[in-house]
Amino acid sequence: MKIPKSIEPLVRDGLIDEVIRPLKSGKEAAVYIVLSEGEIRCAKVYKDINKRGFQKQAQYQEGRKVRNSRQARAMEKGTRYGRKQQEELWQNAEVEALYRLAAAGVRVPKPYNFIEGVLLMELVTDEDGSAAPRLNDLELTREQALEYHSLLIREVVKMLCAGLVHGDLSEYNILVDSNGPVIIDLPQAVDAAANNNAGRMLERDVANLADYFGRFAPELLATQYGKEIWKLYQSGILLPETELTGRFKSHDKRTDVKSIMRVINHAKKEAMRHHNETENFN
C-alpha cells in the first residue's frame, strides 16, 4: 500500500521496511500494521492537532511536567505554540507510560520507538497470529468474565504501584490475546501522586470493568475494588501481590449508591430479557 506521509521518515531511517495495511482509525490516531526489523509490528500515527479537541484534557494533564514557564504560559493561553506543546505532552505521556508499565510487568504492548508523532510498538495478536480482538467484540462465559476481571484488577494494581492510573479504562481499550487481556491507549494516563483527580479516575476505571464484566457475572456489580485499591494505595501498603476482597467499609457510613444501582439495573435488564423470551416462546 502507499506509505502514509507521517510514516515516511521512519521508512527513510530504516525503522520500517513495509507498511502492510491499516489496522484501525480512531479520534486520536490511526494504526497501521508494518514490517520492522523482520517482525510484524504496528505503527500508531497520532492525528493532526487541529482534528482533535482538547476540552477534556485539562484534568489529565494536571501534574505533568513542562519544560519551562514559556511553555506553560503558552499552553494556558491556548496559543498555536501552546497547542503544539500540549500535543507533544499528550503523545509523550503514552510513550512514557508504555515504557514504565512494560518495565513493571504490566500487560501493555511493548514499545520500540517514537519518532515525529509515530509510535512503533508490538502488534498484539491472537493464537492464530491475527490482530487481537477488543474485549468489547467478545462474548464471554461467566467463568471467562470472572477470570478476565480478576486479571485486569491485578493489572490496575500493578499500574498504580508503578505510579500510574489509566484514566479511561474500558472494554474498548483492552485487547485479548492468547494469554488474556492487554491494556492499550494510554495518552491520558495520569501520575497517581501528582494529579488530584487520580483517585476518582481509578475508581471510574474499576467501575467500568465491573459494569462490563457484570453483564456476564452479575456478582461483580456489587464489588468495590476501586475504593479498596485506592485506600490501600493512600495508606502506603498497596503491593502488586496484595490480596484484595472487593469490599470496602466507609467510615462516613454513606451508602454506595452506584454499586446498588448497578445491581438494580442489571436485575431490570434480566427481567426484561426473560419477559421477551417468554413472549417469543408463547
Side-chain angles (χ1 to χ4, degrees):
M1 63 167 286
K2 183 179 179 181
I3 299 173
K5 188 174 181 180
S6 52
I7 294 182
E8 287 178 356
L10 282 78
V11 174
R12 287 197 300 269
D13 292 343
L15 295 172
I16 290 178
D17 302 312
E18 180 186 353
V19 179
I20 298 173
R21 66 176 178 87
L23 179 60
K24 68 172 185 176
S25 181
K27 292 182 294 183
E28 298 286 338
V31 181
Y32 298 86
I33 296 178
V34 301
L35 180 64
S36 172
E37 298 182 325
E39 294 184 0
I40 301 298
R41 297 173 178 171
C42 67
K44 183 173 184 176
V45 180
Y46 293 92
K47 292 192 174 178
D48 187 89
I49 185 173
N50 296 318
K51 296 179 181 178
R52 303 198 283 109
F54 286 88
Q55 293 85 352
K56 297 182 180 180
Q57 288 192 18
Q59 61 180 326
Y60 296 106
Q61 292 184 339
E62 179 182 330
R64 292 182 180 177
K65 295 180 181 179
V66 296
R67 288 197 297 268
N68 51 52
S69 57
R70 175 174 176 258
Q71 184 187 44
R73 288 195 302 272
M75 288 170 61
E76 288 176 2
K77 293 179 180 179
T79 64
R80 184 175 180 179
Y81 170 76
R83 286 173 64 84
K84 184 176 183 296
Q85 298 305 305
Q86 193 175 29
E87 174 70 4
E88 289 182 4
L89 199 65
W90 188 252
Q91 295 176 9
N92 288 334
E94 176 163 36
V95 179
E96 292 169 5
L98 283 174
Y99 277 103
R100 189 196 299 192
L101 295 177
V106 179
R107 298 207 75 215
V108 295
K110 180 181 178 180
Y112 292 105
N113 222 317
F114 178 62
I115 297 177
E116 297 186 28
V118 180
L119 173 59
L120 188 61
M121 57 184 173
E122 172 191 6
L123 175 66
V124 180
T125 60
D126 62 17
E127 55 190 13
D128 297 322
S130 301
R134 290 188 308 176
L135 179 61
N136 183 62
D137 295 326
L138 301 179
E139 187 67 26
L140 305 177
T141 64
R142 175 180 174 276
E143 290 71 25
Q144 286 175 318
L146 291 171
E147 178 189 0
Y148 288 172
H149 179 266
S150 177
L151 290 171
L152 283 163
I153 289 296
R154 186 56 52 201
E155 296 302 294
V156 168
V157 169
K158 285 195 288 187
M159 287 179 67
L160 188 55
C161 288
L164 294 175
V165 173
H166 187 285
D168 191 32
L169 190 61
S170 74
E171 63 271 24
Y172 297 101
N173 44 37
I174 297 170
L175 302 178
V176 180
D177 68 8
S178 57
N179 295 312
V182 178
I183 296 172
I184 62 171
D185 294 340
L186 290 146
Q188 72 293 313
V190 301
D191 186 317
N195 192 305
N196 290 319
N197 300 298
R200 179 178 57 80
M201 290 180 183
L202 179 125
E203 289 187 27
R204 185 179 64 196
D205 284 352
V206 174
N208 286 342
L209 295 178
D211 286 342
Y212 178 74
F213 289 112
R215 302 176 193 175
F216 311 100
E219 59 265 42
L220 293 174
L221 296 170
T223 57
Q224 295 181 301
Y225 284 104
K227 292 181 183 297
E228 180 185 13
I229 291 169
W230 189 251
K231 179 65 175 178
L232 292 170
Y233 171 75
Q234 285 188 311
S235 301
I237 57 176
L238 183 69
L239 298 172
E241 62 273 15
T242 298
E243 291 293 328
L244 302 173
T245 65
R247 298 187 296 273
F248 178 80
K249 184 177 289 187
S250 175
H251 294 297
D252 60 12
K253 307 296 184 182
R254 289 184 297 182
T255 302
D256 185 358
V257 177
K258 289 184 178 179
S259 292
I260 293 174
M261 290 306 299
R262 283 205 299 267
V263 175
I264 292 174
N265 289 334
H266 176 78
K268 287 180 178 179
K269 290 178 181 178
E270 284 298 296
M272 181 63 71
R273 183 177 65 81
H274 179 71
H275 173 76
N276 291 337
E277 288 177 353
T278 303
E279 287 291 316
N280 291 334
F281 178 77
N282 293 333

